[in-house]
Amino acid sequence: MKRDGDMTLSTPKIKSSGIIVEYDDKRALHGIDLDIYPNEVTALIGPSGCGKSTFLRCINRMNDVIDNCKVSGRLMIDDTDVYDPEIDVVELRARVGMVFQKPNPFPKSIYDNVAYGPRIHGLTENKDDMDRIVKKSLKRAGLWDEVSERLDDKALGLSGGQQQRLCIARAIAVNPDILLMDEPCSALDPIATSIIEELINELRERFTIVIVTHSMQQAARVSQKTGYFHLGNIIEYGETNDIFTRPKNEQTEAYISGRIG
Amino acid sequence: MTDQATQTAQSKHLKKRYRAEKRFKFFGLAAICSAAGILLVLLGGLTQMSIPAFTHHYVTLDIAIPETTIPADQVTDPAAMRKVNWRGMVRKTLRNEFPEVTDRRGKRAIGNLLSGGAGDALRDKVLNDPTIIGSTVAVALPLSDDVDLLLKGLIDRSLPEDNRVISDRELTFIDHLEAAGRIDRRIAWFLFTSGDSREAEMAGLRSAAVGTLLTMLVTLLFSFPLGVMAAIYLEEIAPKNRLTDLIEVNINNLAAVPSIVFGLLGLAVFINFFHLPRSAPLVGGMVLALMTLPTIIIATRAALAAVPPSIREAALGVGASPIQVIFHHVLPLAMPGILTGTIIGLAQAAGETAPLLMIGMMAFIVDTPMWIDDKATVLPAQIYMWANNPERAFQAKTAAGIICLMVFLLLMNALAIYLRKKYEKRW
Ligand SMILES: Nc1ncnc2c1ncn2[C@@H]1O[C@H](COP(=O)(O)OP(=O)(O)OP(=O)(O)O)[C@@H](O)[C@H]1O
Ligand SMILES: [Mg+2]
């Protein structure tokens, strides 16, 4: 797959057209059209409550578990329709990993946290395979050196930043194509944040990454594309460079420059 | 000027607040102390009342067991053993202690000093060691409940003879035996090793305790899986609609239904309709399971709901199916709460008498039930029956029974705590 910054050269990995989300009768998203390209980091920014998380959760159908949430519209990943009733949601979620705003490791050992996904999907034949996957995932998440000596310790004994990286390792252990990250650094200090940002940069080689963030700097640092959400609409979407240097929309400019619209 | 005014007002306010806090603390402490005090008085009274029941007086006699009593190889044959007049043997031996007594009334009075279970004591001794047949052995024989009470000082010797259950003549016999050093006080093991009996001194808790255990086993086997499954379905899987709302309200109401209603239901459905055995732990356990179900369902739902949603999201996020989420993550985390709820429900059921009354478990049971379809009674029912018994020796037995029931419940709670701790460690 060739990547040279030109949108038109590659086909979109995720294609959202007219996605509408309603909580009870309240609309949270008013028809989102968005193409997300492979092996890039796409940042979603916008004021609180504008629907970024809601959109992110549409991609792996995490909204299904919310009783009062109704999704309509069309969302394609490669050639599969995500909202096709025939589709196996479990398989979809194995392809689309998710890292949540708050680190949420299982209250199990570090090893079991990472091994859980591969185990339930039957990705390994034996313990050696599993050990290899766990090691590889922890290495990719930049956590291996810190925990290699205590894989059997409880995950809840790790620091917040380590837990978040563990959650990333857990998500990539099932070898997804797409990684969704909802404000992965919101609870972290600058050092942990920079570790995770570096990580995102490396992971971009293999995954398509969509990241929600409240930090403009972070969006500018890690992403290739940026989308600006406002009150359930996508106002502007394009190359991160363009959005941050010469936004076409006033609202976008106001938000980026700190005058939240 | 005004500044000072506000300052004094402020300090007054502060003082008032401190005083209110102190008052509140005092009332809280007073409440705890009085509750603990009442509990102590209750426990102390019960313990004191029960102490006499834990010991009993025995008379030790040298009994000659003639070869002709029973062939040594037949001691294990219950029919042959039953034919032997053990009771006559022990009574005769005791009478021989008083050769000067020759009148029939006097002889009978001597025999009545012994408990009705004295013959059984000899029989058990022979059963344990058949080689003693043909020799003379010292055997400790339980005395009757009235003699025992007298020796414990619970019957006043100074009362006029007409108002006393023990006559003056009997007193001389007892004094004689005591002076000869034949009488001693021993731990009343039969309180735990024998079933109910008409003889106050021989009555024990064993059959009732085993009945309670069997009943609780049935209750657990029915209510735990049913309750937990129902709670999982309602909390995790069922759609939220009118029907599930209705079910939920009804479950909550069920927890408040008087327990005797469950007994009536058990009588009507399990016994009269399904013809399950009456007075059996099977039916008793099923009735108590019905009663325990709401407790378990409510506790389980609360425990499930308390599992943080982030854990569910995490599991779903790596592609676990909803059932995997429940069984791999939510249920293990909720287990300590579920266990606590279950044991509380079971402890409640173990102390229940009213519903069992309806299905005939308030019964005089001598033999220890062997399985869940045997006739049985339970500890609280046994206590109630003893309490209703006019014989004095049963007073102490009743208190002892209550103490045993409480120890039983205490052990159950200890088990709950142990299991909870063990489960929590795994996480
Ligand atoms: N479970 C829910 N039930 C009802 N309304 C919801 C629910 N979740 C979100 N909403 C509503 O949908 C809208 C979008 O919420 P969303 O969580 O997507 O915002 P967001 O952009 O992620 O905000 P933030 O930056 O604060 O995380 C909000 O108005 C919110 O009130
Ligand atoms: Mg959000």
Side-chain angles (χ1 to χ4, degrees), chain B residues 115-133:
Chain B
S115 157
D120 298 342
L122 178 60
R123 183 198 60 199
D124 292 345
K125 184 122 185 158
V126 171
L127 191 62
N128 267 344
D129 183 10
T131 58
I132 60 174
I133 295 173

Side-chain angles (χ1 to χ4, degrees), chain A residues 16-72:
Chain A
S16 151
S17 26
I19 284 287
I20 294 171
V21 178
E22 284 165 333
Y23 291 107
D24 291 322
D25 289 332
K26 203 175 112 249
R27 269 202 184 181
L29 291 179
H30 304 270
I32 301 295
D33 299 312
L34 195 64
D35 290 349
I36 291 167
Y37 291 87
N39 301 86
E40 282 188 345
V41 177
T42 304
L44 305 181
I45 58 172
S48 185
C50 64
K52 308 178 295 291
S53 298
T54 302
F55 178 73
L56 205 64
R57 295 164 62 95
C58 287
I59 301 174
N60 66 347
R61 287 186 61 171
M62 222 38 184
N63 285 330
D64 286 11
V65 294
I66 300 174
D67 286 326
N68 58 352
C69 180
K70 212 175 107 232
V71 181
S72 49

Side-chain angles (χ1 to χ4, degrees), chain A residues 111 118 122-136:
Chain A
Y111 183 94
L123 297 187
T124 57
E125 304 276 295
N126 51 42
K127 177 105 173 63
D128 286 348
D129 272 1
M130 186 62 88
D131 288 349
R132 215 169 300 124
I133 290 188
V134 169
K135 184 173 176 183
K136 199 174 80 184

Side-chain angles (χ1 to χ4, degrees), chain A residues 48-49 51-54 101 182-183 212 214:
Chain A
S48 185
K52 308 178 295 291
S53 298
T54 302
Q101 187 163 347
D182 194 350
E183 299 181 45
V212 169
H214 274 292

